Amino acid sequence: MFLECVAKYGTLDALSSKKDGVWEHVNFMKYYNLCRRAAKSFLKLGLKRFYSVGILGFNSPEWFMSAVGTVFAGGIMTGIYATNSPEACHYVANDCRANIIVAENQKQLEKILQIWETLPHLKAVVQYKGSLHVKRPGLYTWAEFMELGKDFSDEHLDDIINSQKPNECCVLIYTSGTTGNPKGVMLSHDNITWTAAQASRAGDMQPAEIQQESIVSYLPLSHIAAQIYDLWTGIKWGEHIYFANPDALKGTLVDTLREAQPTSHMGVPRVWEKIMERIKEVSAQGAVRRKMLSWAMSVSLEKNLGPSRNELKMFLPAVADLLILSKIRKMMGFSHCQKHFSGAAPISTETLEFFLGLNITLYEAYGMSETSGPHVMSGPHAHRFQCCGKAVPGCQMKLANKDSEGNGEICFWGRTVFMGYLNMEAKTKEVFDKDGWLHSGDIGKMDAEGFLQVTGRLKELIITAGGENVPPILIEDAVKRSIPIVSNAVLIGDRRKFLSMLLTLKSTVDLDTLEPMDNLTQEAIRFCQEVGSKATTVSEIVGQKDQPVYRAIQEGIDKVNSKAVSNAQCIQKWAILAKDFSIDGGEMGPTMKIKRYVILEKYKEVVEAFYAI
């Protein structure tokens, strides 16, 4: 795949990163040769066939070169989440038999130094940014590492590359461990190359000979969504990858987007929500500005949800886009962006409608680590509102054990489907049925044209004490849509007599730590003012049981309850938590997907109070 890329796109820019404020560019020919150098150095350090190289750090050219170099050398590339604790790093590095770990900087290196002696297979560690603060045998800077294999022959490396088979494992993706220890998802050469080619084309990503796509890399590469989208698809179609700064999610992402002017962009739902909240915050700073944006978005949303032949209804959205919405997209860095993707978790209707109002259609992708990422794709040629799209051509999908409303467990078959879990044969057998279909554990429904809507998760499906099956995501989504001050909503009621809910409020974020703060966002403050409250902080509302806010939230809950399909699906009690969820708080995983079991355990006392006699 890479040789085809070099033959077609060798002189095109492949990787761009900033050094001392200046963009540095690497073309595909140089990128390929640097990956070969990395492979030789890994082999020189003693990387064994089918042993791993762990990569711990933020996205960078070195991350990409380490990943590809590992595969060239016959090893198994294993991403380790940069947010992992030393203990979590140890679990992954030990499980995958890491011969070498590539760490970003001193902060990440410290984690490895704490566990090095307890990793029996670890031979060397490479730090790819900054100078070494400590010296010890087997520890190298990136520059030192890249020189190690200079005497390793090209012929020997070619023999290793040519000896590899399509059905052999080359990548390990560790699940986030929301239900226990992380599982190592084994992906083969065929899984990676086939998915990079077919899924990306289903999303209308273009080969560079037609249009060189440019994207910004910022989501964790340890996660399959970013890895397929940024790394492997980038090689397949000759994409130009711009690397964001490590503090991208602390506010600098938009600066990179403005400079890179991507043609395609992917975000997890929480990223799109944060962008939405930021736009609302900026527009709230002036009444005229807010009203103008509200008008422009409403006419745009109406047009996008139901195209009309009425000349006035066609003219007004065009004017709104020219005068207002195009400026918002330019501010966001999306002036040239043709495709906007969302994946890794369910996205709310509110967020979809908000961006549709900006003339930005969010194309949902759906899959798992176990399907090499996207098995179901939306795109310009296959899109339906609130649907994830259709199965990628060449893949199959079915719903098992459908209920009367057409909801069933989503099952997969095709060349995206993984080899199995590393060192977990029993777990592997659990997810496949006798006919070879992979069972996702997710619930969905499919229309006559094959468009999929994910409606819940089997493990998250709430079964009340009365035997009622309740899908939490739909109710949580409805609550957030009904009550604009709510940031997160978690439904509770499994084996309980009634449903209850934990709520968090929209608050500002510490840009250094990404920790939620006490101050409410501008949108939340405006909500308070509209309902007659003077509160500007979460603690004021929670500590004083602010009556106007509590009354307004109850009214929102009542509105949601009025549309419930049965009394058993009504929310009887709720509580506001003192702080919003975060990765550091443990309530969210690396892709900002909420961890229900952590939340239920962490706020156990609040939950039990709902059901106390």
Side-chain angles (χ1 to χ4, degrees):
M1 185 171 83
F2 210 149
L3 283 173
E4 287 177 3
C5 169
V6 171
K8 290 190 284 187
Y9 316 127
T11 59
L12 295 180
D13 283 340
L15 311 176
S16 294
S17 57
K18 267 194 169 178
K19 187 174 182 181
D20 300 325
V22 179
W23 286 105
E24 293 185 344
H25 309 286
V26 174
N27 68 24
F28 279 101
M29 177 62 79
K30 187 175 181 182
Y31 177 18
Y32 173 74
N33 287 328
L34 287 169
C35 291
R36 287 181 64 93
R37 282 181 62 185
K40 291 177 181 180
S41 294
F42 283 136
L43 290 164
K44 194 74 173 179
L45 286 172
L47 175 62
K48 294 182 184 177
R49 190 71 173 264
F50 303 124
Y51 280 65
S52 290
V53 172
I55 312 175
L56 173 65
F58 188 74
N59 313 18
S60 68
E62 294 87 355
W63 210 111
F64 277 37
M65 291 166 198
S66 297
V68 180
T70 300
V71 176
F72 281 179
I76 298 176
M77 189 280 285
T78 305
I80 304 174
Y81 284 112
T83 52
N84 273 9
S85 65
E87 294 75 24
C89 291
H90 181 273
Y91 177 84
V92 172
N94 189 57
D95 190 59
C96 73
R97 300 189 305 178
N99 280 165
I100 298 139
I101 292 177
V102 181
E104 178 184 5
N105 51 24
Q106 180 65 24
K107 178 183 175 182
Q108 301 297 352
L109 177 62
E110 287 290 345
K111 298 176 186 177
I112 305 306
L113 292 175
Q114 289 180 46
I115 60 175
W116 192 330
E117 300 305 326
T118 59
L119 294 171
H121 305 290
L122 186 59
K123 300 177 180 181
V125 176
V126 180
Q127 182 178 310
Y128 65 81
K129 280 191 178 175
S131 57
L132 294 174
H133 293 192
V134 294
K135 272 294 196 181
R136 61 169 287 174
L139 179 59
Y140 304 90
T141 64
W142 182 259
E144 290 168 344
F145 163 72
M146 289 294 273
E147 289 296 313
L148 291 174
K150 62 183 179 181
D151 297 328
F152 200 93
S153 75
D154 283 315
E155 292 76 18
H156 191 180
L157 179 59
D158 288 335
D159 287 343
I160 292 170
I161 292 172
N162 294 331
S163 70
Q164 297 181 49
K165 304 292 188 293
N167 64 348
E168 292 176 345
C169 180
C170 67
V171 169
L172 273 175
I173 301 288
Y174 275 84
T175 62
S176 56
T178 54
T179 55
N181 280 331
K183 297 188 286 286
V185 174
M186 296 188 289
L187 300 178
S188 67
H189 292 268
D190 187 64
N191 286 147
I192 294 293
T193 55
W194 194 91
T195 305
Q198 303 302 322
S200 57
R201 291 297 287 135
D204 205 41
M205 297 296 281
Q206 298 298 318
E209 60 266 31
I210 296 174
Q211 169 196 288
Q212 188 180 25
E213 301 275 9
S214 58
I215 69 173
V216 173
S217 179
Y218 71 102
L219 291 172
L221 290 165
S222 311
H223 192 274
I224 188 59
Q227 197 179 118
I228 279 286
Y229 182 78
D230 299 7
L231 172 54
W232 306 116
T233 301
I235 293 170
K236 177 63 186 176
W237 300 123
E239 296 169 357
H240 186 181
I241 312 299
Y242 289 84
F243 291 96
N245 293 323
D247 59 355
L249 294 177
K250 297 176 183 177
T252 65
L253 175 60
V254 70
D255 299 324
T256 308
L257 291 171
R258 286 178 190 146
E259 291 185 62
Q261 292 292 316
T263 59
S264 176
H265 186 69
M266 183 178 71
V268 296
R270 195 62 181 153
V271 167
W272 291 115
E273 287 170 15
K274 288 296 181 187
I275 294 172
M276 175 176 72
E277 289 166 12
R278 179 61 183 151
I279 292 170
K280 285 181 177 180
E281 224 169 276
V282 171
S283 68
Q285 291 169 8
V288 175
R289 181 188 295 177
R290 186 170 70 248
K291 287 177 181 176
M292 289 291 287
L293 179 59
S294 179
W295 168 79
M297 290 181 67
S298 65
V299 297
S300 174
L301 179 62
E302 185 181 358
K303 181 206 77 169
N304 288 327
L305 285 178
S308 172
R309 293 183 181 178
N310 182 302
E311 287 188 14
L312 181 61
K313 286 192 174 182
M314 292 172 69
F315 175 70
L316 287 177
V319 172
D321 192 75
L322 178 67
L323 297 180
I324 300 169
L325 302 180
S326 61
K327 292 180 173 62
I328 299 292
R329 294 196 299 273
K330 183 178 181 181
M331 178 192 80
M332 294 158 61
F334 290 150
S335 291
H336 296 84
C337 201
Q338 302 152 357
K339 298 170 287 284
H340 309 78
F341 296 103
S342 179
I347 190 165
S348 70
T349 305
E350 179 197 0
T351 309
L352 292 172
E353 288 183 346
F354 180 87
F355 283 98
L356 209 51
L358 293 172
N359 267 337
I360 291 174
T361 302
L362 294 183
Y363 298 122
E364 290 189 74
Y366 167 69
M368 312 160 64
S369 300
E370 291 86 343
T371 60
S372 314
H375 192 96
V376 177
M377 281 292 300
S378 286
H381 307 301
H383 175 258
R384 186 155 294 175
F385 188 64
Q386 288 186 300
C387 289
C388 303
K390 297 182 178 183
V392 169
C395 293
Q396 292 183 43
M397 172 179 60
K398 71 174 184 180
L399 301 179
N401 306 315
K402 286 195 284 188
D403 63 18
S404 57
E405 295 178 4
N407 289 290
E409 185 182 7
I410 304 163
C411 301
F412 303 112
W413 188 92
R415 285 170 70 179
T416 64
V417 174
F418 77 136
M419 302 169 67
Y421 297 118
L422 180 68
N423 305 323
M424 292 184 177
E425 188 177 351
K427 291 282 186 187
T428 302
K429 287 178 179 176
E430 281 178 20
V431 296
F432 287 100
D433 64 25
K434 61 183 177 61
D435 298 317
W437 286 84
L438 170 66
H439 285 243
S440 69
D442 290 324
I443 306 166
K445 58 168 57 176
M446 201 160 26
D447 67 15
E449 295 177 54
F451 282 95
L452 175 73
Q453 182 181 17
V454 179
T455 54
R457 181 152 180 81
L458 276 178
K459 287 180 181 175
E460 292 177 353
L461 190 69
I462 290 171
I463 303 175
T464 65
E468 182 93 4
N469 285 10
V470 182
I473 292 172
L474 298 178
I475 297 175
E476 291 162 355
D477 192 6
V479 167
K480 288 191 283 185
R481 197 163 59 247
S482 178
I483 312 168
I485 196 174
V486 170
S487 174
N488 282 291
V490 178
L491 193 68
I492 296 154
D494 199 44
R495 299 188 295 277
R496 305 280 193 172
K497 291 181 180 179
F498 58 84
L499 299 183
S500 59
M501 182 169 273
L502 297 175
L503 304 171
T504 67
L505 305 183
K506 290 177 180 174
S507 60
T508 55
V509 174
D510 186 313
L511 294 181
D512 291 324
T513 64
L514 290 185
E515 273 291 290
M517 297 198 293
D518 191 36
N519 293 328
L520 295 169
T521 63
Q522 286 300 313
E523 182 192 6
I525 290 171
R526 194 167 69 250
F527 175 89
C528 292
Q529 292 169 347
E530 287 170 357
V531 301
S533 169
K534 295 180 180 179
T536 59
T537 65
V538 177
S539 56
E540 283 178 79
I541 293 172
V542 178
Q544 299 170 22
K545 292 261 182 177
D546 189 287
Q547 286 306 302
V549 173
Y550 272 72
R551 192 181 308 116
I553 290 176
Q554 185 60 58
E555 287 170 2
I557 296 285
D558 292 343
K559 184 178 174 183
V560 172
N561 285 343
S562 69
K563 297 175 183 176
V565 298
S566 69
N567 286 335
Q569 296 205 19
C570 290
I571 303 158
Q572 303 292 342
K573 295 184 180 182
W574 52 272
I576 305 171
L577 300 177
K579 195 174 185 181
D580 200 0
F581 301 149
S582 66
I583 295 173
D584 283 350
E587 304 98 341
M588 288 180 162
T591 56
M592 292 182 266
K593 190 188 299 183
I594 64 167
K595 294 184 173 183
R596 290 179 186 273
Y597 82 98
V598 171
I599 292 166
L600 289 175
E601 185 59 35
K602 187 169 183 177
Y603 301 102
K604 192 174 183 178
E605 289 183 14
V606 180
V607 172
E608 292 305 324
F610 290 145
Y611 301 98
I613 297 172

